[in-house]
Amino acid sequence: MKKRLQALLLAGCLVVGTLCGGCSGQKKVADTEQTAQAEPTLADFAMVQANAGELNVIDDKYRTYYEVFLYSFYDSDGDGIGDIRGLIQKLDYINDGDDTTDTDLGCNGIWLMPVMPSTTYHKYDVTDYKAIDSEYGTLEDYKELIRECHERGIRVIIDFPINHTSSKHPWFTQATEYLESLGEGEEPDAKVCPYVDYYNFTKDKKSEVYYQAGNSNWYYEGKFWSEMPDLNLENEAVREEFQDIVSFWLEMGTDGFRLDAAKEYYSDQTEANVEVLTWFHDMVVKENPDAYIVAEVWTDRSTYAKYLASGIDSVFDFDFGDATGIIANTVKQATTSGAEGYAAAVGQVDETFRQYNENYIDAPFYTNHDMARGAGYYSGDYSENQTKIAGAMNLMMSGNCFLYYGEELGMKGSGKDENKRAPMLWSDDASADGMCKGPDGMEAIKMKYGSLEQQQNDPLSVYNFFKQAIRLRNRYPQIARGVAANEEKLSDENIAAITKTYEGKTSLLLFNISQEEQKVNLSGVMSDASIGGMLLTGEEAAVLEDGTVTLPAYSMVLFTEE
């Protein structure tokens, strides 16, 4: 470790000398040798020095969201299950609200996976839409969380499953009991039991996703699981229920909603699903015009783009995520278009989405709770570099970037869902304060890059790389808000060149997505360019000299015009 730090310190001194004109060579070497004897700090290193500067965090809908699965995040009461009070205790890890400190990640949004009462560990089967699951705490705990988040400039959106409820929800249990009470040939009457119209009941078992309703002669639709009966979202009474529920959470201070499984409201019926989202959007913004809505529509981009016609802010940009998405395939060199393909795809986002909603906000992500974690996508000598640069390719995209908890540590987890939702790796000691036990049935997972305790003081760690990427997002508003375009003159198999245009100014992001150093001549593209920041996966720094930039393997440089 000490040799690695000293090498980085030398690289930092050299890059500062290159960018700032430097001083006499003899004095530089002497100073370097003397400093190398002391224990270096994070501030001594090239990437940190290049990214130093005042942050410019704008209080609007553009955010960097941190997805939290409370069950596995931080345990405040010693029962092995994460909870709201545990998250409150760790808010300063996500964002301490002070832009002058460098000890927090810098995320200014939190997406909470479901927090409502449920029969399962994942809690996507809701039994009560106006309460907090007792494993996680109380409504008072939630109110405190919102207060603490808002004091830090963090907005909170909650997972909102409206495609289905739990089979233990009172709406469903009362409907089932009523159907069981009907005599032979007797038809249900919504005037007697309105809940029979809340779900998709039928006398015919239409497919394998229909299940018998108790001991009755009726069946119900359960697209995901027999214990998750699908709601009838055409029913006006159901919509009135959700209007009341939405009002409840907005009054609690919630800043928006992540809509689960929007493609399945009416399975693969885009027009009908867009109508549901239009109703939901209009209902929400009538109460809070600043509320943020993002929908999960797990399909191809040409299809999920159409959902933006509903007026909601965002749909998750699935094309870039997962082990076979654009980012991972580019990093693994699994595409014939190479790095240029990534740049071209980023450049096509605005044209694709704007035709449906000119006020859209893209919602790129790399992994989430339904996908294998990114650190497991790569193997070999360059796997750590690839893990880092893939994270940068997500975090440098326009819109609201989403970061799944633990990705900033390079956590692993694949296979069954429980493995993808393993405990946040605060410590290598599973019995340390706050450590969670993880979901029942989770398999043993050998983590690759160590815990936060191991990584936080290592300038070359995955954790510190992600912190620097988020810092750049917070320093340059154009990264999130700029319209992206592929700079075709510079992009090639190894280089992804992307411009961001915002408020009349253009910045350039250059990614070297290869194992070798690359040189790029900026003349004719940005003649007055200066380095505004860089993301380095190794010890070598990027250098700009006479209009040509030298990019180390797996690195990114941000250029601004003087």
Side-chain angles (χ1 to χ4, degrees), residues 25 100 115 118 123 224 371:
T100 66
V115 296
S118 168
K123 309 195 188 306
F224 289 100
M371 299 174 175

Side-chain angles (χ1 to χ4, degrees), residues 467-519:
K467 277 181 63 176
Q468 290 297 309
I470 297 169
R471 178 177 181 81
L472 285 183
R473 282 184 68 83
N474 289 334
R475 187 178 171 195
Y476 295 102
Q478 62 265 37
I479 293 177
R481 295 162 186 80
V483 176
N486 174 24
E487 184 53 65
E488 296 179 6
K489 295 178 182 178
L490 302 181
S491 292
D492 60 22
E493 179 183 356
N494 298 314
I495 298 294
I498 298 167
T499 58
K500 295 286 186 85
T501 303
Y502 175 66
E503 294 187 339
K505 295 183 178 180
T506 298
S507 299
L508 173 67
L509 282 70
L510 281 186
F511 294 84
N512 176 7
I513 310 175
S514 75
Q515 301 173 5
E516 305 292 336
E517 174 184 286
Q518 302 290 326
K519 293 183 181 294

Side-chain angles (χ1 to χ4, degrees), residues 52-318:
E54 187 175 351
L55 301 185
N56 186 9
V57 181
I58 301 174
D59 186 18
D60 60 8
K61 280 192 175 183
Y62 285 86
R63 302 268 151 175
T64 306
Y65 277 92
Y66 191 72
E67 181 188 356
V68 174
F69 179 44
L70 278 175
Y71 196 96
S72 291
F73 194 63
Y74 194 82
D75 172 24
S76 72
D77 56 13
D79 65 356
I81 297 173
D83 45 51
I84 292 175
R85 302 212 66 81
L87 175 56
I88 292 172
Q89 291 177 34
K90 284 298 182 181
L91 282 179
D92 283 351
Y93 170 80
I94 298 170
N95 194 322
D96 63 8
D98 184 351
D99 289 346
T100 66
T101 65
D102 61 0
T103 54
D104 58 315
L105 274 177
C107 294
N108 55 359
I110 291 175
W111 157 23
L112 284 178
M113 288 175 63
V115 296
M116 302 165 194
S118 168
T119 66
T120 61
Y121 81 92
H122 55 72
K123 309 195 188 306
Y124 278 100
D125 54 327
V126 177
T127 60
D128 182 352
Y129 279 100
K130 294 168 71 174
I132 295 291
D133 193 290
S134 59
E135 286 187 321
Y136 288 168
T138 66
L139 284 171
E140 288 305 312
D141 293 333
Y142 182 81
K143 290 179 183 178
E144 182 178 343
L145 172 66
I146 295 297
R147 287 194 301 270
E148 293 286 346
C149 283
H150 287 175
E151 286 180 4
R152 291 166 171 80
I154 301 171
R155 293 191 183 183
V156 180
I157 64 172
I158 59 171
D159 226 318
F160 207 54
I162 65 171
N163 177 69
H164 48 255
T165 69
S166 167
S167 61
K168 301 298 188 292
H169 194 289
W171 298 343
F172 187 77
T173 58
Q174 291 181 56
T176 300
E177 289 170 4
Y178 172 66
L179 291 173
E180 289 177 325
S181 73
L182 296 178
E184 185 68 29
E186 188 176 0
E187 293 293 317
D189 184 351
K191 294 180 180 178
V192 177
C193 179
Y195 300 120
V196 293
D197 282 350
Y198 278 35
Y199 299 89
N200 300 315
F201 289 109
T202 175
K203 279 191 172 180
D204 301 319
K205 184 177 173 62
K206 296 182 178 182
S207 70
E208 67 277 2
V209 297
Y210 278 78
Y211 304 90
Q212 186 175 4
N215 295 320
S216 74
N217 295 322
W218 293 80
Y219 297 87
Y220 63 91
E221 184 182 18
K223 175 73 175 181
F224 289 100
W225 183 34
S226 61
E227 306 309 302
M228 289 180 173
D230 285 7
L231 285 162
N232 174 15
L233 293 173
E234 281 187 347
N235 188 329
E236 193 59 37
V238 171
R239 295 192 176 194
E240 289 175 1
E241 295 274 14
F242 279 117
Q243 183 168 348
D244 180 56
I245 293 163
V246 162
S247 296
F248 173 83
W249 288 105
L250 291 176
E251 289 170 5
M252 293 279 286
T254 307
D255 297 297
F257 303 92
R258 180 264 185 185
L259 294 174
D260 178 61
K263 185 172 73 73
E264 308 304 337
Y265 298 156
Y266 299 93
S267 292
D268 298 318
Q269 297 181 44
T270 299
E271 186 174 336
N273 292 331
V274 169
E275 188 280 325
V276 173
L277 290 179
T278 302
W279 153 73
F280 189 88
H281 166 265
D282 293 349
M283 171 181 63
V284 170
V285 299
K286 186 176 181 179
E287 293 202 36
N288 182 0
D290 293 326
Y292 175 64
I293 303 171
V294 56
E296 177 200 28
V297 186
W298 198 336
T299 182
D300 60 276
R301 193 194 312 171
S302 62
T303 301
Y304 59 70
K306 297 175 182 177
Y307 283 68
L308 290 168
S310 63
I312 63 172
D313 301 286
S314 304
V315 289
F316 284 112
D317 210 341
F318 273 88

